[in-house]
Amino acid sequence: MRASRFWLWTVPASLGLLGVLALSATFVLALRGAAGKPLGVAPPPPKDAAAPPAAPGRRQVLILGDSLARGTGDPSGRGWTLDVLEEIRRRVPADGSNLAVNGWESDDVRRLVEGPNVRALAARAHVILLSVGGNDLSHSLPRTIGSAASAAAGVEKSRLAFDANLRAILTTLRAANPSAPILLLGLYDPFQMTGPEGRLGSSVIQQWNAMAAQTALSFENVRIVPTFDLFQGRTDRLAADRFHPNREGYAAIAARAIQVLPKQI
């Protein structure tokens, strides 16, 4: 990830922010030009994963989503999901299935979840950990930015698609499993720029967080894991790419997730 990704996160997600679009688009174009890097190609389409037989008497933890669910940036390879799994194992015998893939957007996760094998995994899961949305936001700008309004329209289109995909993902998971707690990871601002552009970026990320939280409220036992505050003023919690968390950052996320994890699994 490059610093230019910050501006891919911070172009306004709503046409209601037209008053600041010109400033935002100027910085987007400048940083894109400085980095010299276009948006990356889309990841390969997801494949339905075969559901292994469940061990009798053991809790099952299903992990879905993107690079944050995989633990990218953590040199130990643990990420937050393994920390949560180990906390569950301190309480009861448990196994985990991590189907997350770096670079996946919400439509990739949606197609995976709608496959029969993953629905079977979800049906017998006791806890589901989900990270999705960050790539929808960071990939939302076109390769060529024509104007501030078109850039904002692209981000708004992505926001609406993310909302629809998240709702479909949660609907499918709840149809397969009406009761298992689903922990949905919130977004954070890894760049923490100062000035009007920095405040705008943080505002947009919080808008996406609020939208995801509102969608989650439509479903039983879907719990948001807030992460925004965990990285404010804490660049020491970021990996060398200055985008993903490092071991300390993932440990902080895991501690927050464990706080919202039900006592009884």
Side-chain angles (χ1 to χ4, degrees), residues 39-57:
L39 291 176
V41 297
K47 296 180 179 179
D48 194 24

Side-chain angles (χ1 to χ4, degrees), residues 34-200:
K37 294 287 187 180
L39 291 176
V41 297
K47 296 180 179 179
D48 194 24
R58 299 179 69 86
R59 299 296 190 268
Q60 302 298 316
V61 179
L62 178 60
I63 302 164
L64 302 166
D66 50 28
S67 59
L68 293 181
R70 282 232 66 91
T72 301
D74 184 349
S76 73
R78 297 171 57 85
W80 68 282
T81 57
L82 183 53
D83 286 349
V84 172
L85 176 58
E86 290 192 348
E87 171 61 25
I88 295 172
R89 284 172 172 164
R90 280 190 280 270
R91 307 177 189 182
V92 292
D95 296 315
S97 299
N98 193 328
L99 305 183
V101 176
N102 290 351
W104 269 13
E105 299 180 8
S106 59
D107 56 347
D108 299 301
V109 179
R110 176 178 178 173
R111 285 193 293 271
L112 182 73
V113 166
E114 290 175 347
N117 289 323
V118 175
R119 282 189 281 113
L121 284 172
R124 64 186 187 223
H126 297 85
V127 179
I128 300 172
L129 307 180
L130 175 63
S131 172
V132 66
N135 289 320
D136 294 69
L137 184 49
S138 65
H139 295 166
S140 59
L141 287 183
R143 290 180 179 272
T144 301
I145 301 176
S147 67
S150 64
V155 178
E156 173 67 3
K157 180 179 178 181
S158 181
R159 184 187 72 83
L160 295 175
F162 168 57
D163 186 35
N165 287 330
L166 178 60
R167 190 171 297 277
I169 290 167
L170 295 177
T171 297
T172 301
L173 293 174
R174 272 289 159 260
N177 189 325
S179 60
I182 300 173
L183 273 58
L184 174 61
L185 197 68
L187 304 180
Y188 62 92
D189 178 3
F191 300 105
Q192 303 176 38
M193 302 287 283
T194 59
E197 63 275 10
R199 292 192 295 273
L200 174 61

Side-chain angles (χ1 to χ4, degrees), residues 177-242:
N177 189 325
S179 60
I182 300 173
L183 273 58
L184 174 61
L185 197 68
L187 304 180
Y188 62 92
D189 178 3
F191 300 105
Q192 303 176 38
M193 302 287 283
T194 59
E197 63 275 10
R199 292 192 295 273
L200 174 61
S202 294
S203 174
V204 170
I205 294 169
Q206 291 286 43
Q207 288 176 29
W208 281 57
N209 280 335
M211 181 194 68
Q214 184 175 13
T215 299
L217 285 173
S218 303
F219 298 87
E220 187 71 23
N221 206 13
V222 177
R223 306 178 179 210
I224 298 294
V225 180
T227 65
F228 190 89
D229 63 305
L230 298 178
F231 294 89
Q232 286 300 96
R234 295 301 304 268
T235 56
D236 59 306
R237 287 179 168 173
L238 295 175
D241 62 9
R242 314 308 293 173

